[in-house]
Coordinates of all heavy atoms in Angstrom, one line a residue:
D355 N -78.1 -117.1 171.0 CA -77.5 -116.2 170.0 C -76.0 -116.2 170.1 O -75.4 -116.1 171.2 CB -78.0 -114.8 170.2 CG -79.5 -114.6 170.0 OD1 -80.0 -115.3 169.1 OD2 -80.1 -113.9 170.8
V356 N -75.3 -116.4 168.9 CA -73.9 -116.5 168.9 C -73.4 -115.5 167.8 O -74.0 -115.4 166.7 CB -73.4 -117.9 168.6 CG1 -71.9 -118.0 168.7 CG2 -74.0 -118.9 169.6
H357 N -72.3 -114.9 168.0 CA -71.8 -114.0 167.0 C -71.5 -114.8 165.7 O -71.0 -115.9 165.7 CB -70.5 -113.3 167.4 CG -70.1 -112.1 166.6 ND1 -69.5 -112.2 165.4 CD2 -70.2 -110.8 166.9 CE1 -69.3 -111.0 164.9 NE2 -69.7 -110.1 165.8
K358 N -71.8 -114.1 164.5 CA -71.7 -114.9 163.3 C -70.3 -115.2 162.9 O -70.1 -116.1 162.0 CB -72.4 -114.1 162.1 CG -71.7 -112.8 161.8 CD -72.5 -112.1 160.6 CE -71.9 -110.8 160.2 NZ -72.6 -110.2 159.1
K359 N -69.3 -114.6 163.5 CA -67.9 -115.0 163.2 C -67.6 -116.4 163.7 O -66.6 -117.0 163.2 CB -67.0 -114.0 163.9 CG -66.9 -114.1 165.4 CD -66.0 -113.1 166.0 CE -65.9 -113.1 167.5 NZ -65.0 -112.1 168.1
H360 N -68.5 -117.0 164.5 CA -68.3 -118.3 165.0 C -69.2 -119.4 164.3 O -69.4 -120.5 164.8 CB -68.7 -118.4 166.5 CG -67.8 -117.5 167.4 ND1 -66.5 -117.8 167.6 CD2 -68.2 -116.4 168.1 CE1 -66.0 -116.9 168.4 NE2 -67.0 -116.0 168.8
I361 N -69.6 -119.0 163.1 CA -70.5 -119.9 162.3 C -70.0 -121.3 162.1 O -70.7 -122.3 162.3 CB -70.9 -119.3 161.0 CG1 -71.9 -120.2 160.2 CG2 -69.7 -118.9 160.1 CD1 -73.2 -120.4 160.9
E362 N -68.7 -121.4 161.8 CA -68.1 -122.7 161.5 C -68.1 -123.6 162.8 O -68.4 -124.8 162.7 CB -66.7 -122.6 161.0 CG -66.7 -121.9 159.6 CD -67.5 -122.6 158.6 OE1 -67.6 -123.9 158.6 OE2 -68.2 -121.9 157.8
E363 N -67.8 -123.0 163.9 CA -67.8 -123.7 165.2 C -69.2 -124.2 165.6 O -69.4 -125.3 166.0 CB -67.2 -122.9 166.3 CG -65.7 -122.6 166.2 CD -65.6 -121.1 165.8 OE1 -66.2 -120.7 164.7 OE2 -64.8 -120.4 166.4
V364 N -70.2 -123.3 165.4 CA -71.6 -123.6 165.7 C -72.1 -124.7 164.8 O -73.0 -125.5 165.2 CB -72.4 -122.3 165.7 CG1 -73.9 -122.6 166.0 CG2 -72.0 -121.3 166.8
K365 N -71.7 -124.7 163.6 CA -72.1 -125.8 162.7 C -71.6 -127.1 163.2 O -72.4 -128.1 163.1 CB -71.5 -125.6 161.3 CG -72.1 -124.5 160.4 CD -71.4 -124.4 159.1 CE -72.0 -123.3 158.2 NZ -71.2 -123.1 156.9
D366 N -70.4 -127.2 163.8 CA -70.0 -128.4 164.4 C -70.8 -128.8 165.6 O -71.2 -130.0 165.7 CB -68.5 -128.2 164.9 CG -67.5 -128.1 163.8 OD1 -67.9 -128.4 162.6 OD2 -66.4 -127.6 164.0
L367 N -71.2 -127.8 166.4 CA -72.1 -128.1 167.5 C -73.4 -128.6 167.1 O -74.0 -129.6 167.6 CB -72.3 -126.9 168.4 CG -73.3 -127.0 169.6 CD1 -72.8 -128.1 170.6 CD2 -73.5 -125.7 170.3
Y368 N -74.0 -128.0 166.0 CA -75.2 -128.4 165.4 C -75.2 -129.9 165.0 O -76.1 -130.7 165.3 CB -75.6 -127.5 164.2 CG -76.7 -128.0 163.4 CD1 -78.0 -127.8 163.7 CD2 -76.5 -128.7 162.2 CE1 -79.1 -128.2 163.0 CE2 -77.5 -129.2 161.4 CZ -78.8 -128.9 161.8 OH -79.9 -129.4 161.0
K369 N -74.1 -130.3 164.3 CA -74.0 -131.7 163.9 C -73.9 -132.6 165.1 O -74.6 -133.7 165.1 CB -72.7 -131.8 163.1 CG -72.7 -131.1 161.7 CD -71.3 -131.3 161.0 CE -71.3 -130.5 159.7 NZ -69.9 -130.6 159.1
A370 N -73.2 -132.2 166.1 CA -73.1 -133.1 167.3 C -74.4 -133.3 168.0 O -74.8 -134.4 168.4 CB -72.1 -132.5 168.3
L371 N -75.2 -132.2 168.1 CA -76.5 -132.3 168.8 C -77.5 -133.1 168.0 O -78.3 -133.8 168.5 CB -77.0 -130.9 169.1 CG -76.3 -130.0 170.0 CD1 -76.9 -128.6 170.2 CD2 -76.1 -130.7 171.4
I372 N -77.4 -132.9 166.6 CA -78.3 -133.7 165.7 C -78.0 -135.2 165.9 O -78.9 -136.0 166.0 CB -78.1 -133.3 164.3 CG1 -78.8 -132.0 164.0 CG2 -78.6 -134.4 163.3 CD1 -80.3 -132.1 163.9
K373 N -76.7 -135.5 165.9 CA -76.3 -136.9 166.1 C -76.8 -137.5 167.4 O -77.3 -138.6 167.5 CB -74.8 -137.1 165.9 CG -74.3 -138.5 165.9 CD -74.9 -139.2 164.6 CE -74.3 -140.6 164.5 NZ -74.9 -141.3 163.3
I374 N -76.6 -136.8 168.5 CA -77.0 -137.2 169.8 C -78.5 -137.4 169.8 O -79.1 -138.4 170.3 CB -76.6 -136.2 170.9 CG1 -75.1 -136.3 171.1 CG2 -77.3 -136.6 172.2 CD1 -74.5 -135.2 172.0
S375 N -79.3 -136.5 169.2 CA -80.7 -136.6 169.1 C -81.2 -137.8 168.4 O -82.0 -138.6 168.8 CB -81.3 -135.3 168.4 OG -82.7 -135.5 168.2
E376 N -80.5 -138.1 167.2 CA -80.8 -139.3 166.5 C -80.5 -140.6 167.2 O -81.3 -141.6 167.2 CB -80.1 -139.3 165.1 CG -80.6 -138.2 164.2 CD -79.7 -138.1 162.9 OE1 -78.6 -138.8 162.9 OE2 -80.1 -137.4 162.0
M377 N -79.3 -140.6 167.9 CA -78.9 -141.8 168.6 C -79.9 -142.1 169.8 O -80.3 -143.3 170.0 CB -77.5 -141.7 169.1 CG -76.4 -141.7 168.1 SD -74.8 -141.6 168.8 CE -74.8 -143.0 169.8
T378 N -80.2 -141.1 170.5 CA -81.1 -141.2 171.6 C -82.5 -141.7 171.2 O -83.1 -142.6 171.8 CB -81.3 -139.9 172.4 OG1 -80.0 -139.4 172.8 CG2 -82.2 -140.0 173.6
H379 N -83.0 -141.2 170.1 CA -84.3 -141.6 169.5 C -84.2 -143.1 169.1 O -85.1 -143.9 169.5 CB -84.6 -140.8 168.3 CG -85.9 -141.2 167.6 ND1 -87.2 -141.0 168.1 CD2 -86.1 -141.8 166.4 CE1 -88.1 -141.5 167.3 NE2 -87.5 -142.0 166.3

Side-chain angles (χ1 to χ4, degrees):
D355 294 322
V356 185
H357 196 285
K358 66 180 181 181
K359 68 182 179 181
H360 298 293
I361 180 62
E362 295 304 320
E363 295 104 306
V364 176
K365 284 179 182 177
D366 291 343
L367 176 62
Y368 169 81
K369 292 177 184 178
L371 295 182
I372 282 286
K373 188 64 177 179
I374 292 173
S375 176
E376 291 175 349
M377 288 182 62
T378 304
H379 176 72

